[in-house]
Amino acid sequence: MAESINSAPGTDQLPVAVIGAGPVGLAAAAHLVERGIEPLVLEAGPSAGTAVRDWAHVRLFSPWSEITDPAAEKLLAPTGWTRPDGSAYPTGGDWAEQYLQPLADALGDRIRYGATVVGVARAGRDRIVDSGRDEQPFTVHVRQADGREERISARAVIDASGTWSTPSPMGADGLPALGEKSAAVHISYRVPDLGHPAVRARYAGRRTAVVGSGASAFTALAHLADLAEDEPGTHAVWILRRGITGSTFGGGEADQLPARGALGLRAKAAVEAGHASAATGFRTQAVERDGERLVLVDENGRRLDPVDEVIVLTGFRPDLSFLSEIRLGLDERLQAPTALAPLIDPNVHSCGTVYPHGVNELSHPEQGVYLAGMKSYGRAPTFLAMTGYEQVRSVTAAIAGDREAAERVELTLPETGVCGGAGLFDEPDAAQNGEGGGCCAAPATLQIGIGAPAPAGGC
């Protein structure tokens, strides 16, 4: 095996620090083990897939065949693990219990739970110092659940900590809307688990604003529509920053992930059935009180009728605070690696096209540190698990010094069936019926049963 190309001289005996024991972090560890390199996985939560468990009630729109990693399966094989039916769609809870936790158990003491990474740097060098920088190992500052702190030396760092802990706010300018924080008791940033009695009671018979236009918003609308069938007075107000067009509900039948297409059509059915109404061209600027209820106000002073609750599903953003002493090369808009950003930019991409990418697109000025998984996408949406698995396969090959394998990236992703970019700042009445992207027509109108299972998810 060739000498590692991304480790400082003399550090090859040190472990590779992997931040996060989610799907991509665990896959990275499995690929490192396969190459004879010791990983040390640092997980802030008490178990594998802590973030995934937070949305255990949500069904993924990717089947089992697309959410398990080949190297991980090899590691699991001797344990007697049985791969689930590849055509079935698991919930987040299924994913965590039937795959992520068994994989973590197979990795054993290579994982430390309750270990929050609060800083990464070059040993003895802050981000200013050039002298001898590349010869130093990485130092990872960790805070344990009991408050103890330690420093861990590593030959390389793979940050697969995701973005789940940092949801984007309601404000259309990327900042919290005025009054958003003070109204926090009535605002959630997660798809509600309406199977939980206390959560169900929070939304039953209430008027709820759902802010967002992606798969999570579709899921929330579909779930609230189901609730409205049983609980009179339940109604969702869908807050959209643009108008409703042919692409608003996703790709429909044109989506190569059928469950994802069906999810958008369920949201469409919720609107058509009267369980949800839409406020279009509405860019939230303030949240005001009306007794115990909330009134949303947009940038033009437009005020909506009062609501009881607000569910904000406007995406996520990476937490870069603990990487402040590392020299990262990030796109100024997406906060994704500079070379990756043009491939995933939602302002310009059509049909969900993501070109094959690996270590070349994930590298930074600081050699040996990589953002992988959802965190590598910065603020861009529509990340798929298979993308992350291919990323870490390439990155671990590079760490091992196998450049040929690192650059042999093969990735084919299903198209969304949505033409044009994400329309992050489209005119509310802009027509987008397949004319801009040239790849597909507007999806046909289909009535999807409101009570059908919700094939959603964030993978």
Side-chain angles (χ1 to χ4, degrees):
M1 182 178 292
E3 181 180 352
S4 171
I5 59 175
N6 279 315
S7 296
T11 65
D12 286 357
Q13 300 308 308
L14 295 175
V16 172
V18 178
I19 306 174
V24 176
L26 293 174
H31 280 276
L32 289 166
V33 169
E34 187 174 48
R35 287 188 168 274
I37 299 173
E38 276 300 301
L40 177 59
V41 182
L42 302 167
E43 167 57 45
S47 62
T50 299
V52 174
R53 293 173 192 274
D54 276 354
W55 48 271
H57 59 291
V58 178
R59 193 168 299 281
L60 283 77
F61 51 65
S62 295
W64 273 112
S65 61
E66 296 177 357
I67 60 171
T68 59
D69 174 79
E73 290 193 21
K74 291 178 184 177
L75 191 63
L76 282 165
T79 71
W81 177 77
T82 302
R83 188 185 194 212
D85 177 5
S87 64
Y89 293 87
T91 62
D94 296 334
W95 200 15
E97 290 299 327
Q98 298 178 38
Y99 171 66
L100 299 178
Q101 193 60 56
L103 177 54
D105 293 343
L107 288 164
D109 59 8
R110 297 181 176 100
I111 301 180
R112 294 190 190 179
Y113 298 109
T116 301
V117 175
V118 296
V120 179
R122 286 286 187 180
R125 307 288 190 276
D126 62 24
R127 67 182 297 154
I128 300 174
V129 178
D130 290 331
S131 178
R133 186 176 193 85
D134 292 342
E135 285 72 46
Q136 299 301 313
F138 290 96
T139 182
V140 182
H141 189 169
V142 178
R143 183 174 60 240
Q144 305 294 340
D146 61 6
R148 291 182 297 110
E149 297 181 340
E150 66 175 314
R151 297 284 178 89
I152 296 169
S153 294
R155 62 187 287 188
V157 176
I158 300 174
D159 181 1
S161 58
T163 57
W164 181 251
S165 63
T166 48
S168 295
M170 192 188 320
D173 54 10
L175 301 174
L178 297 175
E180 181 174 346
K181 292 186 177 180
S182 62
V185 68
H186 293 292
I187 300 175
S188 171
Y189 299 85
R190 305 286 187 254
V191 175
D193 180 4
L194 298 181
H196 189 287
V199 177
R200 185 181 180 87
R202 177 175 177 176
Y203 297 101
R206 303 291 184 87
R207 183 177 171 88
T208 300
V210 177
V211 186
S213 59
S216 294
F218 293 164
T219 304
L221 289 168
H223 286 186
L224 289 170
D226 288 345
L227 182 61
E229 291 284 310
D230 301 324
E231 299 286 349
T234 303
H235 188 78
V237 182
W238 190 13
I239 310 299
L240 289 161
R241 294 173 184 172
R242 56 175 175 169
I244 292 182
T245 70
S247 64
T248 297
F249 297 97
E253 292 183 309
D255 198 322
Q256 291 184 20
L257 286 176
R260 182 170 58 190
L263 178 62
L265 293 170
R266 286 195 68 215
K268 184 181 180 73
V271 174
E272 292 177 344
H275 296 313
S277 54
T280 60
F282 194 95
R283 298 184 171 92
T284 310
Q285 185 177 68
V287 181
E288 298 180 355
R289 291 276 189 173
D290 182 0
E292 292 299 313
R293 308 183 85 192
L294 303 179
V295 175
L296 304 188
V297 184
D298 79 358
E299 59 190 6
N300 296 317
R302 177 183 171 194
R303 300 164 62 86
L304 299 181
D305 291 339
V307 297
D308 300 290
E309 300 287 335
V310 181
I311 301 173
V312 181
L313 300 168
T314 53
F316 298 87
R317 53 188 60 181
D319 177 7
L320 301 169
S321 61
F322 60 87
L323 300 174
S324 62
E325 297 308 314
I326 292 296
R327 297 175 178 180
L328 299 178
L330 299 175
D331 178 75
E332 66 275 10
R333 294 165 300 163
L334 298 184
Q335 294 179 297
T338 305
L340 176 60
L343 308 183
I344 61 174
D345 188 347
N347 285 291
V348 298
H349 266 269
S350 64
C351 297
T353 302
V354 177
Y355 293 99
H357 64 278
V359 68
N360 290 333
E361 291 78 14
L362 298 174
S363 294
H364 295 275
E366 192 86 67
Q367 286 200 0
V369 62
Y370 307 95
L371 308 185
M374 186 64 240
K375 190 162 185 176
S376 72
Y377 269 41
R379 299 193 184 196
T382 63
F383 178 81
L384 296 173
M386 64 179 81
T387 303
Y389 297 156
E390 179 61 16
Q391 286 178 342
V392 295
R393 185 207 62 78
S394 175
V395 164
T396 55
I399 292 173
D402 188 350
R403 195 71 191 185
E404 188 276 331
E407 295 185 352
R408 190 180 64 246
V409 180
E410 299 176 0
L411 180 64
T412 302
L413 293 177
E415 293 182 349
T416 64
V418 181
C419 294
L424 300 182
F425 203 74
D426 291 349
E427 291 300 320
D429 57 352
Q432 293 185 20
N433 294 318
E435 298 176 0
C439 63
C440 51
T445 300
L446 296 179
Q447 293 292 338
I448 304 298
I450 294 296
C459 76

